[in-house]
Amino acid sequence: MDSILCDELLQEIFLRLPPPSSAAVSLVCKRWLHLLRSSTTSLSLSFIHPPLTPLFSSFLRFHPYLSTISVTINATVDSSDHILLTVANSCPNLKHLKFLTGPVSNYSLITLSNCCPNLVSLAITLFRPFTLLWLIPFRSLKHLSIYSTGDSCELDYVDFYDSCDYELNLESLSLTGIQSGDKGVSFLWKNCKKVRTLKLKSCEGVGDQGSFFGFIQCLEGLEKVELRTCRTIVDGVLLKLAESCVMLNSLLVYDGGSKEGLLHFLSQGKCCSNLENLDLRLPLDLDNNHLIAIAENLRSLRSLRLQSSCLVTGEGLKSLGKRGMGDGLEELALINCDVVEGESGLLTTLGQDLKSLRKLDLSFNDMLLDKELISMLVSCNNLNELKLRGCKKLTNLTLVSMAKCCKKLETVDVMYCGGIEAKGVELFVLNSPKLRVLQVEENKVSDVARTWASNKFIEIVA
């Protein structure tokens, strides 16, 4: 058989093998090992300590067609230049690089641009102050993620930096740890006219005083914004988004903000008529007034995700269906929300009002009972994705109801649901005609269930 199959056919087979099998392929013979390496285009590498440069270089050169690499090192690394240079010199076809082993210098990044001219996405860690002129040679770069740390021992920020104009082709920009005095960020805001996705995490500012005007201009064309743990700037960003951004269709705000700033955005934002996705994790900054504003102003909303919403009550959630949103909302997530467990009949009402739901996530509501969930599922006939991870009180009755009422389910997550047993999983697998992915603990999957899953092409993820 080995002699009959040509190299191209073997490589095509290797690409379709699941991870456990693909790892064993390399042990069959030298030919298979060589073909596997030649067909590998993506690697994720994690090291306890920095690898030896000659060995690392040799390993990478065995994979001549790598286009995607992720490199992480668990140990603290003062400088990662030699590792980055090894990647740059060994992988000329690289398009996607996630390199978070430690801060790198401008010299190594310029070398990377010369060695990997087709790089499309880059994630790196940099010392501050920033000197981002090294971005100019990356003509193919579309997605950039910068993680800032410490203080650089390199040359300080120079005066001509602000006067440099060069339009970058970036479409997605992610910044972590930016402080209010970071001068070099102004280069990004001034030259990123094509950015459509902006992600800020643990940022105390958007750069120095000279950066602010450029930042406001950058907001105008945004379509997706994520703000994670940015309490000091989130209100200001939301205010400017409300004033100037009309194309925004997706907003995520986690852990930080104020009730007033968010309410102003939801009530008066120019983008409200276009916003389709809203994801909020604001335990002490989200209440019923925000939900009412969502129901009244976000008429195009398709996905609403709420996590750890301690101040929201059933009355606020019911407003989503009562005020005309029921026909458009396709995804609802109420993750670890006290009201889901504490107000009887709430889920029943939501199920009756939100007829268009395709995706439902009620994960980590550990006191949620079968009868409350089942009363909602009876009305949710169009669901194709359901997540109940960590709902400890649910039992096999829920699976029986899901199989009976939700015939369109394709993806289901019932991990860490203590009351669900192997027998319930068996019945659910057998009676779910469109199921394709089931996430459940390994010890709850019997041999019978595994056989049925195999015959029906259902992937079981433990």
Side-chain angles (χ1 to χ4, degrees), residues 429 432 435-438 452-460:
V429 171
S432 300
L435 188 65
R436 289 296 171 261
V437 179
L438 175 62
W452 284 338
S454 177
N455 293 338
K456 299 174 70 173
F457 302 102
I458 299 171
E459 180 184 2
I460 295 181

Side-chain angles (χ1 to χ4, degrees), residues 109-156:
L109 290 167
I110 292 173
T111 303
L112 178 67
S113 68
N114 292 328
C115 296
C116 305
N118 299 318
L119 204 65
V120 175
S121 67
L122 174 64
I124 51 164
T125 301
L126 295 179
F127 278 121
R128 61 169 59 90
F130 297 109
T131 52
L132 298 176
L133 291 174
W134 55 264
L135 276 171
I136 293 177
F138 284 96
R139 301 185 183 279
S140 300
L141 197 64
K142 303 291 185 183
H143 311 283
L144 175 65
S145 297
I146 294 177
Y147 299 77
S148 63
T149 184
D151 292 316
S152 175
C153 56
E154 295 186 2
L155 293 175
D156 289 337

Side-chain angles (χ1 to χ4, degrees), residues 346-355 357 375-376 379-380:
L346 169 62
L347 293 183
T348 304
T349 303
L350 290 178
Q352 294 171 349
D353 291 341
L354 305 177
K355 297 289 189 181
L357 281 184
S375 66
M376 182 181 190
S379 303
C380 296

Side-chain angles (χ1 to χ4, degrees), residues 147-390:
Y147 299 77
S148 63
T149 184
D151 292 316
S152 175
C153 56
E154 295 186 2
L155 293 175
D156 289 337
Y157 173 89
V158 290
D159 293 337
F160 70 83
Y161 196 73
D162 275 332
S163 63
C164 181
D165 289 324
Y166 183 89
E167 186 171 342
L168 301 172
N169 292 318
L170 293 177
E171 298 174 0
S172 173
L173 180 60
S174 177
L175 302 176
T176 300
I178 301 301
Q179 298 181 359
S180 57
D182 287 339
K183 297 180 180 180
V185 186
S186 61
F187 176 75
L188 285 176
W189 305 137
K190 180 189 288 189
N191 296 288
C192 290
K193 307 299 184 183
K194 301 177 181 179
V195 169
R196 295 294 175 262
T197 299
L198 175 63
K199 301 179 182 181
L200 302 177
K201 182 177 181 181
S202 303
C203 293
E204 298 179 2
V206 293
D208 66 345
Q209 191 172 6
S211 303
F212 191 68
F213 180 71
F215 173 71
I216 295 175
Q217 289 184 315
C218 184
L219 294 180
E220 295 178 1
L222 292 179
E223 297 175 1
K224 180 178 180 180
V225 173
E226 294 186 4
L227 305 170
R228 301 174 189 264
T229 58
C230 297
R231 180 169 290 276
T232 56
I233 64 170
V234 66
D235 279 357
V237 175
L238 289 178
L239 176 63
K240 294 304 177 183
L241 285 174
E243 290 178 354
S244 59
C245 186
V246 297
M247 300 175 63
L248 192 70
N249 59 45
S250 180
L251 175 66
L252 178 149
V253 184
Y254 279 6
D255 304 326
S258 72
K259 296 180 181 180
E260 294 76 16
L262 180 60
L263 187 59
H264 173 81
F265 172 84
L266 295 173
S267 303
Q268 302 183 36
K270 290 183 178 180
C271 60
C272 286
S273 59
N274 296 321
L275 201 64
E276 296 183 357
N277 305 291
L278 184 61
D279 190 342
L280 304 174
R281 187 175 70 195
L282 302 167
L284 301 178
D285 299 311
L286 186 76
D287 57 29
N288 287 347
N289 292 326
H290 298 99
L291 294 183
I292 294 172
I294 290 171
E296 291 179 344
N297 301 302
L298 275 57
R299 296 295 178 162
S300 298
L301 200 66
R302 295 291 177 264
S303 171
L304 176 62
R305 298 183 60 82
L306 305 178
Q307 298 186 45
S308 305
S309 301
C310 304
L311 303 181
V312 168
T313 71
E315 198 60 36
L317 287 172
K318 290 175 184 177
S319 68
L320 299 176
K322 290 179 180 178
R323 300 182 184 242
M325 187 173 286
D327 293 335
L329 201 64
E330 297 179 356
E331 178 179 5
L332 177 65
L334 301 173
I335 302 170
N336 189 29
C337 293
D338 295 343
V339 64
V340 172
E341 307 163 358
E343 188 163 333
S344 179
L346 169 62
L347 293 183
T348 304
T349 303
L350 290 178
Q352 294 171 349
D353 291 341
L354 305 177
K355 297 289 189 181
S356 299
L357 281 184
R358 300 290 186 272
K359 299 179 180 181
L360 178 63
D361 190 345
L362 298 175
S363 299
F364 301 107
N365 291 295
D366 53 8
M367 299 304 291
L368 179 61
L369 301 176
D370 287 324
K371 63 178 182 178
E372 294 292 335
L373 177 60
I374 291 172
S375 66
M376 182 181 190
L377 296 181
V378 169
S379 303
C380 296
N381 307 121
N382 294 314
L383 284 181
N384 55 41
E385 182 177 308
L386 179 59
K387 296 182 179 180
L388 302 170
R389 178 175 293 230

